[in-house]
Amino acid sequence: MTALLTIIIVLFVAVALWQMVKIFDLAQVGTTNTQIADDQDNKINAYLMMGFLVFIYVMTILCFWFIGDLPLMSNAASEHGQGIDNLMIISMVVIFIVQTITQFLLHYFAYKYRGEKGKKALFYADNNTLEFIWTVIPVIVLAGLIIYGLFTWNDIMNVDEDEDPMVIELYAQQFKWTARYSGNDNVLGKANVRLIDINRANVLGIDEDDPNAQDDVIVSELHLPVGQQVVFKMRSQDVLHSAYMPHFRAQMNCVPGMVTQFAFTPTVTTEEMRQNPDIIEKVKNINDLRKERVVEIEESGQELLYEFDYLLLCNKICGKSHYNMQMKIIVETQEEFDAWMKEQKTFPNSLN
């Protein structure tokens, strides 16, 4: 009923506007109605351009003032996270400077060289010096950003196998994540989607005869020891997914039919991150909003108060429940991780 009333109101408003336009047209009968802009029209548009320039700058300042705080940019929880943040900040500063200068020139020139009778703007058919300048400067800036980005990316993607990183598989399927630890031998058993056997609870298609699979551990909640480098091997069962762990500045596509890889070293435990002032403020704001919907939340069976956790999300639109495809990540001390791992079943013991 509400939707119907809304449609009716919109129709009435549209009819009213149409009638007002007709009245305005009738009121213009007998007056000069030319499509050619005169000096007054150009003057008005020139001042409007300067007014819009002021509007852009005011909105930019207000955005920085009210929503310019980016907590995520200061809460990297991996060794390479600071490098990613620096690259992002440098890129944003360069974009901001270029945008400020070019927008000023664009609007100012529209104002300064507005059409006036008897006035002719000075122009060059070509100017090699100017063209050289505005070609070389962007080339140098972009080349610097690209080279810096490549070095940053190479530092992240080059994994030193001598450090004996922990190997974990992330298995994506609509609409859930499953993690598989490589066990004591730190080698994942072979797997193939053709080996999936629901009756046996072999949901990842692991080769049951592979010796390396006998100590693998399959879980639905990811635990990571702080300070330990982790190499993630990623597979997808069905469609393209993207493993995204924002606080660790980590993202990699999960592609059906192939294995992709990403590695990082977590540096901040979950408990330490929960004590971060930015996170405390964020959690408080979220809980204040949730308290306003207390009845709705309790009826849905959810916990009323939100508590911060690292999350593994899907960052590719993979279907109708994409928004809810996530897994909790807990970063803890080595002792806590070892105690948790002892409680988990190995792959053979998890089969029916």
Side-chain angles (χ1 to χ4, degrees):
M1 187 64 181
T2 302
L4 178 60
L5 289 174
T6 302
I7 293 172
I8 293 174
I9 292 171
V10 171
L11 287 174
F12 278 133
V13 171
V15 171
L17 290 174
W18 178 57
Q19 291 295 331
M20 290 173 64
V21 171
K22 289 183 65 177
I23 293 171
F24 178 79
D25 288 340
L26 291 173
Q28 300 301 310
V29 173
T31 62
T32 302
N33 185 19
T34 176
Q35 298 297 317
I36 301 175
D38 55 22
D39 286 355
Q40 182 63 21
D41 294 327
N42 292 330
K43 185 176 181 180
I44 291 173
N45 280 286
Y47 281 113
L48 286 174
M49 288 291 283
M50 294 304 294
F52 189 69
L53 176 63
V54 172
F55 170 77
I56 290 175
Y57 286 156
V58 169
M59 288 302 297
T60 301
I61 294 170
L62 291 176
C63 287
F64 273 115
W65 184 264
F66 290 106
I67 58 176
D69 182 31
L70 300 174
L72 190 58
M73 291 294 290
S74 60
N75 291 329
S78 62
E79 279 190 358
H80 73 265
Q82 190 59 53
I84 294 288
D85 289 352
N86 290 339
L87 180 60
M88 182 69 175
I89 291 170
I90 291 171
S91 299
M92 293 301 293
V93 168
V94 171
I95 291 170
F96 176 76
I97 293 172
V98 172
Q99 185 265 354
T100 301
I101 295 174
T102 55
Q103 288 299 321
F104 172 78
L105 293 175
L106 172 67
H107 290 79
Y108 176 71
F109 273 62
Y111 166 80
K112 181 176 177 59
Y113 297 106
R114 62 188 181 273
E116 290 181 315
K117 287 184 179 179
K119 182 178 179 181
K120 185 177 181 181
L122 176 65
F123 68 93
Y124 300 96
D126 62 82
N127 187 309
N128 294 334
T129 302
L130 283 176
E131 292 177 6
F132 178 80
I133 291 172
W134 68 49
T135 300
V136 169
I137 292 177
V139 167
I140 293 174
V141 174
L142 289 175
L145 287 175
I146 292 171
I147 293 172
Y148 180 34
L150 286 174
F151 276 108
T152 302
W153 179 251
N154 287 335
D155 288 342
I156 295 170
M157 297 306 293
N158 290 336
V159 180
D160 187 357
E161 298 293 343
D162 294 336
E163 296 182 4
D164 194 26
M166 178 187 296
V167 179
I168 301 175
E169 179 184 66
L170 293 178
Y171 187 78
Q173 62 187 118
Q174 295 174 310
F175 299 95
K176 62 178 290 189
W177 295 98
T178 306
R180 175 164 62 115
Y181 290 82
S182 52
N184 294 326
D185 61 3
N186 205 30
V187 179
L188 290 168
K190 295 178 183 178
N192 192 299
V193 291
R194 294 180 177 85
L195 299 177
I196 292 176
D197 187 344
I198 301 301
N199 295 326
R200 292 272 294 159
N202 187 358
V203 295
L204 303 188
I206 301 172
D207 185 350
E208 298 181 27
D209 297 325
D210 186 353
N212 291 324
Q214 304 309 306
D215 61 349
D216 289 358
V217 175
I218 301 171
V219 297
S220 58
E221 182 177 272
L222 191 59
H223 286 240
L224 302 175
V226 67
Q228 168 71 53
Q229 187 179 36
V230 182
V231 175
F232 292 96
K233 306 287 186 177
M234 305 175 188
R235 288 193 297 143
S236 173
Q237 177 176 304
D238 34 50
V239 299
L240 184 66
H241 298 277
S242 187
Y244 177 45
M245 293 167 272
H247 286 88
F248 304 107
R249 309 299 190 264
Q251 178 170 326
M252 181 58 67
N253 286 345
C254 305
V255 184
M258 67 181 294
V259 177
T260 54
Q261 175 178 303
F262 198 98
F264 66 82
T265 303
T267 57
V268 184
T269 67
T270 299
E271 288 300 324
E272 289 171 341
M273 187 61 80
R274 287 173 179 171
Q275 302 306 314
N276 184 293
D278 289 335
I279 297 300
I280 291 175
E281 182 180 1
K282 175 183 177 182
V283 170
K284 180 181 179 301
N285 292 337
I286 292 174
N287 284 330
D288 288 342
L289 293 173
R290 290 178 69 84
K291 288 174 183 177
E292 297 174 2
R293 302 168 51 216
V294 58
V295 176
E296 177 186 346
I297 291 173
E298 289 180 348
E299 287 180 351
S300 66
Q302 301 178 37
E303 292 289 337
L304 176 60
L305 297 181
Y306 162 78
E307 185 176 44
F308 171 83
D309 277 304
Y310 294 122
L311 289 175
L312 164 61
L313 306 169
C314 178
N315 207 24
K316 283 285 187 295
I317 300 177
C318 56
K320 62 181 180 181
S321 293
H322 155 76
Y323 71 96
N324 202 33
M325 183 174 170
Q326 57 184 263
M327 175 191 281
K328 182 192 293 187
I329 303 174
I330 297 177
V331 180
E332 55 199 359
T333 64
Q334 186 67 53
E335 293 75 17
E336 292 171 328
F337 174 79
D338 292 339
W340 173 81
M341 184 60 74
K342 288 179 181 178
E343 299 173 355
Q344 309 308 310
K345 294 181 179 180
T346 57
F347 167 63
N349 294 327
S350 68
L351 296 174
N352 292 331

